[in-house]
Amino acid sequence: MGTGRAVPDRVLTNAELEKMVDTTDEWITERTGIKERRIAAPDESLSDFALPAAERALESAGISGSEVDMVICATVSPDMSFPATSTLIQDRIGATGAAAFDLSAACTGFVYALGIAAQFLETGWARTALVVGGEVLSKITDWTDRNTCVLFGDGAGAVVLRAAEDDKRGVLGVAMHSDGSLGDLIYLPGGGSQHPQSESVLDQSLNFLKMKGNETFKIAVRSLAEVSDEVLSRNRLSHGEVDWFIPHQANRRIIDAVGQRLEIREGRTYVNIERYGNTSAASIPIALDELNRDGKISPGDVVLLSAFGSGLTWGAGLIRW
Ligand code: COA
């Protein structure tokens, strides 16, 4: 019914990163496709972006927050461990009594949340769902580690969903997977019950995310292509019938490789990584909102979303707009 997004005002360019770590604009651009990213101010947290994204989605849907009876916020960088950031959103939009929970599936979070919301609408257990994907990864990024700090950005995107009157439009299907044996490819060791915040956690930099980028890269291409195929074939749709492919924006080379494997039509893979970097759970809903507000998606269009991330988790969603 509606989409929205909100990102920090602060733009961090590759040129600025050149002054912070041993890197170059050329390396970052060539290896990732990223030119700049948005970074939250020290006093900003996830809800500062998740809430305006949600409000814009409600406005574009033309409904008030009081009509929402389910709020899901996909994130791994919530305001606090608890209460869930979704409950802050629930309160601020006036969704009185709505179910509200955060969902932790890292960069795949929005796809997972979309699948869950769609199921609740289909069964009639919820009537109107607000699904937000948002991150402030800058707060868990080691700004001295060139392997990771050039990659990520902050922001939030949101969608409002309501059961369609006919079954030809809406979320046609979602596929979701995980492989916990690959958990050490991307993870945040500190701050949980295994390594609670302490001097020693800070001394060892366990409060920052760790990533084996190269290994993740190879798995990403394969899993994104396979899960996209899965959701398409389940709905008896061919690659050529995809009007918009919105992959998780982790790396331009991953996006291009997957788009080629899936034989997505020329110009139909949406890319905005150059402006935002990898915003994890926010990347797909931000992209969706850009396409929607720019009037590039038409009613009836087949939109394929696919994502992968820490867990590892991966998933794809198919929407008939
Ligand atoms: N600037 C300059 N050099 C850098 C650098 C930077 N910012 N970051 C890493 N390098 C160096 C490495 O130190 C390495 O040097 P070495 O060969 O002397 O050891 C070299 O570049 C190549 O590193 P490698 O990791 O093989 O590069 P890559 O081509 O795989 O690109 C990523 C690195 C991280 C961009 C890429 O692997 C990637 O995007 N992976 C997926 C990550 C991802 O999607 N994560 C999130 C999942 S949601």
Side-chain angles (χ1 to χ4, degrees), residues 245-302:
F245 175 45
I246 309 181
H248 169 49
Q249 311 280 311
N251 184 310
R252 174 84 213 210
R253 289 182 294 139
I254 296 177
I255 295 170
D256 290 344
V258 177
Q260 269 164 24
R261 257 196 216 199
L262 292 176
E263 295 172 339
I264 298 296
R265 284 184 283 145
E266 186 68 29
R268 290 292 167 160
T269 297
Y270 193 72
V271 184
N272 61 11
I273 190 169
E274 68 283 0
R275 288 177 284 128
Y276 299 119
N278 179 349
T279 57
S280 184
S283 87
I284 289 178
I286 288 175
L288 206 48
D289 185 56
E290 288 191 340
L291 272 171
N292 188 28
R293 281 177 196 265
D294 292 349
K296 289 185 180 149
I297 311 186
S298 310
D301 275 0
V302 172

Side-chain angles (χ1 to χ4, degrees), residues 72-264:
I72 311 178
C73 182
T75 187
V76 291
S77 45
D79 278 28
M80 294 172 261
S81 290
F82 63 89
T85 302
S86 55
T87 59
L88 303 176
I89 301 168
Q90 171 273 328
D91 177 46
R92 303 275 284 282
I93 64 169
T96 312
F101 60 96
D102 287 1
L103 189 151
S104 173
C107 305
T108 320
F110 181 79
V111 172
Y112 267 57
L114 186 74
I116 291 168
Q119 282 299 299
F120 269 81
L121 298 178
E122 202 155 326
T123 57
W125 290 7
R127 213 179 104 67
T128 308
L130 171 69
V131 178
V132 183
E135 303 286 5
V136 181
L137 293 181
S138 62
K139 308 257 178 157
I140 52 169
T141 296
D142 182 349
W143 290 101
T144 65
D145 174 16
R146 71 173 183 176
N147 290 294
T148 52
C149 77
V150 302
L151 301 174
F152 300 103
D154 302 333
V159 299
V160 176
L161 304 167
R162 189 172 273 177
E165 316 250 291
D166 65 74
D167 60 8
K168 296 202 176 57
R169 290 181 60 198
V171 180
L172 303 178
V174 170
M176 318 194 298
H177 298 285
S178 73
D179 182 353
S181 72
L182 299 170
D184 67 345
L185 292 187
I186 320 170
Y187 69 116
L188 176 67
S193 55
Q194 193 178 33
H195 299 291
Q197 291 299 8
S198 66
E199 283 293 323
S200 132
V201 162
L202 298 181
D203 288 346
Q204 298 172 74
S205 298
L206 299 182
N207 54 319
F208 296 130
L209 69 85
K210 318 282 173 204
M211 188 181 71
K212 294 178 188 159
N214 199 273
E215 287 169 56
T216 310
F217 190 101
K218 291 172 200 152
I219 300 168
V221 173
R222 194 181 65 229
S223 58
L224 284 173
E226 282 176 5
V227 77
S228 300
D229 266 341
E230 178 184 344
V231 81
L232 281 171
S233 64
R234 213 198 272 159
N235 285 278
R236 295 189 185 79
L237 284 168
S238 69
H239 299 160
E241 287 172 282
V242 173
D243 294 298
W244 280 108
F245 175 45
I246 309 181
H248 169 49
Q249 311 280 311
N251 184 310
R252 174 84 213 210
R253 289 182 294 139
I254 296 177
I255 295 170
D256 290 344
V258 177
Q260 269 164 24
R261 257 196 216 199
L262 292 176
E263 295 172 339
I264 298 296

